[in-house]
Amino acid sequence: MSGMAEMKPIQKMPLNQIDLMDDTFSVNYLPNLQSLRSSIKEIGLIQPVLLRKKSGGYQIVCGFRRVSAMKELGKSEIEVRVFEEKEMDAFQLFSLSLHENLTTRGFNAVEKAIALEKLIHRFQIHPDKVIKTFLPLFSLEPNEKILNTYLSLAQMEDEIKTYVLKEEVSRSNIRRLTGLTPEDRMAILSLISPLKLGENRLREALTLLEEISRRNQCTVREIVQRPEIQTILSQKELTPSQKTERVKKVLMDLRYPKMRQLEENFEKKRKDLNLPSNISLRHQPFFEGKGLKVEFQFETMEEYRSILLSLSQLVAKEEFREMIVLSKGQRT
């Protein structure tokens, strides 16, 4: 806490005199109070809360989590330091609060977004000053693109913010979400929440949805609501990984109609070959690589000879030649 705050005497304050609804200086988002409650229960409050006097009570400058934890523990009063109403302006107090929180607990991505949004829109700090002074304070690169990414995140729906925190979504994927309407973002959330998506898979899904939307001149929401996608999401017997692979297949088919046609042609010719069940002939997934893959399984020498005979006969079959050509198909 700053020297000025430490000069303030510590006093006891009834919790009912503190306006818990005044969030002027708050940047909390999904605070985890469990460890804080345990600490307070075990050894008491280590750091007094910082308040500012206002008409009819007091507002919290720094210590929202501590006040909430004390209230949940059934305490009736709390140790505080108090600033008078006109002693410091709101921006100075907010800056003080940010610095104190950074030394004690740090901020998650959404809290950084909320803080930056308040600096610009509530406290009217010029964006250049925010970029130069506050982005480095949050360990962010000082440039306009980063600032705009976090300002966009601050405006997103709470469900999206929660997903961003839970899945540790990257800034590049946050930017992809920024370009969507609220309806499309919520539709995407209903799609990606049941799936098992790492950073790369999420980027791939967002890119495919954006490209399909542009190509087919439809909304992302309309794509997500397609029956073939909703059917996959509703199948409880599928694991998240299985759902992810099947949804990707649908999106790839929608994005690359030619690939879907290649798939259908390939499958027809494979059936026409009438290969034994112990021989598998496949193309690369999504035709993303060239060439065919043959796998076979046997238990006896006789089965092995039979397999070799079947494979040697493929050379004379037109369907097999056409499958080789199909496996080189390019997506458009």
Side-chain angles (χ1 to χ4, degrees):
M1 192 176 287
S2 75
M4 182 175 290
E6 288 176 351
M7 289 170 58
K8 296 288 179 182
I10 298 174
Q11 56 185 286
K12 296 278 191 180
M13 177 69 64
L15 285 172
N16 61 15
Q17 290 190 29
I18 300 172
D19 185 355
L20 302 179
M21 302 303 292
D22 188 331
D23 68 349
T24 301
F25 303 108
S26 173
V27 296
N28 282 329
Y29 192 81
L30 296 183
N32 182 1
L33 299 180
Q34 187 173 346
S35 59
L36 182 58
R37 279 196 305 268
S38 300
S39 172
I40 292 173
K41 206 170 181 180
E42 187 78 21
I43 59 175
L45 195 68
I46 298 174
Q47 187 78 281
V49 170
L50 187 59
L51 304 179
R52 179 168 76 164
K53 192 171 184 178
K54 69 172 190 175
S55 176
Y58 298 85
Q59 64 185 155
I60 303 169
V61 174
C62 190
F64 285 86
R65 294 162 71 251
R66 281 166 277 169
V67 171
S68 296
M70 290 287 279
K71 189 176 181 185
E72 288 181 16
L73 288 169
K75 307 292 185 182
S76 60
E77 59 181 15
I78 189 171
E79 290 187 340
V80 302
R81 301 179 192 268
V82 180
F83 279 100
E84 296 301 317
E85 190 171 2
K86 305 293 185 183
E87 196 170 344
M88 288 178 75
D89 67 35
F91 166 64
Q92 289 174 312
L93 289 172
F94 187 57
S95 182
L96 174 64
S97 170
L98 294 179
H99 281 86
E100 198 226 5
N101 275 308
L102 279 168
T103 60
T104 56
R105 69 178 183 90
F107 297 116
N108 63 44
V110 174
E111 289 172 335
K112 291 177 183 180
I114 294 170
L116 293 168
E117 196 270 340
K118 283 191 172 184
L119 283 166
I120 287 179
H121 295 117
R122 181 171 291 195
F123 299 109
Q124 302 293 305
I125 306 304
H126 195 279
D128 289 346
K129 181 175 181 180
V130 173
I131 290 170
K132 183 179 178 182
T133 305
F134 288 94
L135 290 185
L137 187 68
F138 294 143
S139 301
L140 300 173
E141 304 91 286
N143 64 66
E144 187 177 9
K145 184 178 181 181
I146 297 295
L147 175 62
N148 289 336
T149 299
Y150 279 86
L151 291 178
S152 298
L153 176 58
Q155 298 299 321
M156 289 186 196
E157 302 72 30
D158 283 349
E159 295 89 343
I160 301 292
K161 292 175 184 172
T162 301
Y163 183 86
V164 165
L165 286 186
K166 181 183 170 187
E167 301 299 330
E168 299 181 348
V169 176
S170 70
R171 296 198 294 248
S172 61
N173 279 335
I174 290 172
R175 281 192 283 274
R176 287 184 175 88
L177 291 168
T178 297
L180 301 168
T181 65
E183 293 77 18
D184 281 351
R185 274 198 297 269
M186 294 305 291
I188 282 180
L189 187 63
S190 73
L191 172 68
I192 60 181
S193 292
L195 304 181
K196 189 173 184 180
L197 299 178
E199 189 60 39
N200 292 336
R201 285 293 181 86
L202 177 59
R203 180 181 66 248
E204 186 177 48
L206 293 176
T207 302
L208 283 170
L209 287 164
E210 179 189 351
E211 290 175 351
I212 295 165
S213 171
R214 190 166 56 242
R215 180 189 179 103
N216 295 359
Q217 295 187 326
C218 63
T219 66
V220 169
R221 184 180 175 191
E222 287 170 333
I223 300 166
V224 172
Q225 290 177 344
R226 290 177 70 100
E228 57 266 48
I229 289 179
Q230 290 302 312
T231 298
I232 295 169
L233 297 179
S234 65
Q235 291 178 312
K236 295 180 180 178
E237 69 276 11
L238 297 179
T239 66
S241 294
Q242 289 171 327
K243 288 181 180 179
T244 299
E245 289 305 316
R246 296 190 187 192
V247 166
K248 179 184 175 181
K249 174 70 167 58
V250 172
L251 294 179
M252 292 290 278
D253 286 348
L254 290 170
R255 173 61 184 91
Y256 303 105
K258 181 184 174 184
M259 185 185 71
R260 184 172 189 173
Q261 188 177 2
L262 285 172
E263 183 77 57
E264 290 173 354
N265 289 344
F266 186 92
E267 189 60 23
K268 182 180 183 301
K269 295 183 188 308
R270 189 183 68 80
K271 287 180 179 177
D272 289 343
L273 288 176
N274 289 317
L275 288 169
S277 60
N278 56 355
I279 298 178
S280 168
L281 184 59
R282 298 197 302 269
H283 61 74
Q284 297 297 323
F286 306 108
F287 294 95
E288 289 177 332
K290 294 181 180 180
L292 296 178
K293 184 175 184 179
V294 177
E295 291 181 347
F296 52 83
Q297 185 175 337
F298 61 92
E299 294 182 0
T300 66
M301 288 298 292
E302 189 57 40
E303 287 179 348
Y304 181 58
R305 288 193 189 96
S306 175
I307 288 169
L308 291 181
L309 179 60
S310 295
L311 291 175
S312 67
Q313 291 172 346
L314 289 177
V315 178
K317 295 190 177 183
E318 184 63 28
E319 293 91 347
F320 184 59
R321 291 195 184 93
E322 291 173 353
M323 288 172 74
I324 293 173
V325 174
L326 285 172
S327 71
K328 300 175 183 178
Q330 298 297 309
R331 299 184 312 207
T332 57

